[in-house]
Each structure stands twice: as C-alpha cells, then as structure tokens.
Amino acid sequence: FGVLSLLKRSTLRKSKKPGVRKMKKILATILALVLALGLCSVSWADATPITEGMTELDTGSYVLDKDVTLTAGALTVKSGATVTLDLGTFTLTNKAGEHTIVNNGTLTITGTGTVDNISHARAALVNKEGATAEFNGGSFTRSKENGQNKEDSGGNSYYNIQNFGKM
C-alpha cells in the first residue's frame, strides 16, 4: 500500500495540468494491464507442445499448437501426475489401433479443439480406475465411426469416452 499512499500525497495527484493528467491515465492503464496479466492462470510459455511421438505425460501443462496424429501410441497420463491439456482449436488423433488418451492420473482438458479416435474398439479417452478427468472445453469424437446397430459394428465402433474413474 506504500505506492498508493505515495500517490495520494504526490503533486501529480493534485495537478490540473493536461499533460500530467494524461500521464496519470497512461500509468493507470499500464498498471491495470500488468495486474490483469498477473491474474492469468495459464502460463503459455510454460506449456509443452504435444508432438506426434509423445506417449507419456508427467505433471505439467501441455498444449496442442497444431493438428497432431500420434505415431508412437496412446498419449498416457502417468499415475499420480496432474496434467492440463490445452487443445487450442486443433485436433489430436490416435495412432491406428490405439486409444488416443489414456488417463491414469488427474487430467484437465481446456480449449475448443477435438480428441479423435479412428480405430475400431478404441476410445478417444480412457479414464482408468482411480483417475480423474475434468472437462473445461474440448470435444471427443470417433470421426470414422461406422456402427450400424448394436449387432453390427460396421468394422469400426466403440465409445468416445470410456470411464472407470471420476469425471
């Protein structure tokens, strides 16, 4: 509060000069912007970009900064890890024959992007027993889904999300 009390007593506060008043407005605007940036809960510089070859996510923030098709297997949140995944506006697609995301820890999804799975009997997200998933955005789909009815999978059918944990 030292800065505020200093401003109350300063000659700048009492000045009626147009140049000084304009300077005060500029300083107030800069201070407001600095405070607003300080309140942001996401630090974009600290988020690790998701790449095609990633398979394990340890505690931290991750971001999808382009469309990614996984090549090494499912993107797996380690047991005990706390992960935030910002999908941005992009699509994360599974490696053929694999789930897209397997959550063994605590996973929070943000952004407006999509988690897609194109393989038969595989999910866009599998939330394992003891795991927690929270959705603050994103969508989950199976864009190549071909199920005709409950007896005919059409060669490609499954759940978008398979949940054994908490959501």
Side-chain angles (χ1 to χ4, degrees), residues 9-37:
R9 287 179 273 164
S10 78
T11 56
L12 282 178
R13 182 176 179 268
K14 296 174 184 170
S15 175
K16 302 284 188 208
K17 294 180 183 175
V20 173
R21 291 167 76 192
K22 186 174 183 179
M23 178 66 85
K24 286 180 7 183
K25 286 182 180 180
I26 291 171
L27 288 173
T29 302
I30 291 171
L31 180 60
L33 289 172
V34 168
L35 289 172
L37 286 173

Side-chain angles (χ1 to χ4, degrees), residues 84-161:
T84 298
L85 175 57
D86 180 355
L87 299 173
T89 59
F90 302 100
T91 299
L92 177 65
T93 305
N94 67 302
K95 175 185 178 188
E98 302 280 342
H99 297 295
T100 311
I101 299 174
V102 176
N103 181 29
N104 294 299
T106 300
L107 173 65
T108 301
I109 301 285
T110 64
T112 59
T114 302
V115 179
D116 188 13
N117 193 289
I118 59 170
S119 297
H120 179 59
R122 299 292 181 261
L125 171 66
V126 177
N127 197 44
K128 294 286 193 171
E129 188 173 333
T132 301
E134 180 178 330
F135 306 108
N136 295 326
S139 62
F140 296 81
T141 189
R142 292 185 30 79
S143 63
K144 305 280 185 183
E145 177 69 35
N146 196 31
Q148 306 301 310
N149 56 49
K150 70 180 191 176
E151 287 85 28
D152 182 5
S153 71
N156 190 352
S157 187
Y158 206 61
Y159 308 99
N160 286 348
I161 298 174

